[in-house]
């Protein structure tokens, strides 16, 4: 299973970006469980931005509550992070992480956790 993160870029203060995390597996059906978006700013530790459970429950870092929204589309195996009212302190590399089940055609079931590559978000003032 691979996660593909996309949607980063350069935006001005107050602007918006929408990040997407897509899961894909070769020859298997995937079911995502908890999926989270994390970020790491230069010189800082990685932090959880938001996550969403398989039943749609969401959790947000205090710093993004009211500005960011995480959502999922299980039919497409994607999780999006809508980021509004962006601030310079939101500048970071954003990565997604997912717990998943993979169901192969031969009946093999694999549980795993995967990280997507990061996507850079830069908010200019």
């Amino acid at each position: 299973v691979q996660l593909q993160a996309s949607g980063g870029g350069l935006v001005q203060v107050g602007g918006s970006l929408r990040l997407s995390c897509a899961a894909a597996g070769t020859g298997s059906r995937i079911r995502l469980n908890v999926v989270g978006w994390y970020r790491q700013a230069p010189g800082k530790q990685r932090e959880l931005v938001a996550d969403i459970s398989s039943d749609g429950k969401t959790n947000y870092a205090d710093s993004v509550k009211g500005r960011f929204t995480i959502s999922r589309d299980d039919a497409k195996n994607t999780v999006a992070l809508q980021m509004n009212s962006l601030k310079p302190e939101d500048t970071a590399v954003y990565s997604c992480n997912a717990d998943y089940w993979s169901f192969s055609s031969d009946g093999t079931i694999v549980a795993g956790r995967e990280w997507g590559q990061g996507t850079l978000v830069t908010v200019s003032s």
Side-chain angles (χ1 to χ4, degrees), residues 90-106:
D90 294 319
T91 295
V93 174
Y94 286 70
S95 304
C96 57
N97 174 274
D99 291 330
Y100 66 86
W101 291 98
S102 175
F103 303 86
S104 300
S105 57
D106 64 1

Side-chain angles (χ1 to χ4, degrees), residues 21 27 32 34 82 89-90:
C21 177
L32 297 177
V34 177
Q82 178 66 42
E89 52 264 42
D90 294 319

Side-chain angles (χ1 to χ4, degrees), residues 12-122:
Q12 291 187 333
V13 169
S16 299
L17 282 175
R18 185 177 179 85
L19 306 183
S20 179
C21 177
T26 302
S28 61
R29 181 171 59 87
I30 301 166
R31 188 177 78 187
L32 297 177
N33 295 323
V34 177
V35 181
W37 279 100
Y38 294 75
R39 67 185 180 187
Q40 187 167 21
K44 294 186 177 181
Q45 289 189 332
R46 183 166 57 194
E47 62 173 349
L48 175 67
V49 176
D51 62 25
I52 184 166
S53 67
S54 57
D55 60 359
K57 293 180 181 177
T58 59
N59 174 54
Y60 296 93
D62 288 343
S63 59
V64 306
K65 283 181 181 177
R67 300 188 297 122
F68 291 11
T69 302
I70 190 170
S71 60
R72 63 190 294 153
D73 183 340
D74 289 332
K76 297 180 179 179
N77 282 327
T78 58
V79 172
L81 184 69
Q82 178 66 42
M83 307 186 295
N84 299 328
S85 302
L86 284 162
K87 304 175 180 180
E89 52 264 42
D90 294 319
T91 295
V93 174
Y94 286 70
S95 304
C96 57
N97 174 274
D99 291 330
Y100 66 86
W101 291 98
S102 175
F103 303 86
S104 300
S105 57
D106 64 1
T108 303
I109 302 174
V110 175
R113 173 174 290 179
E114 192 63 47
W115 283 95
Q117 89 290 357
T119 184
L120 177 63
V121 172
T122 304

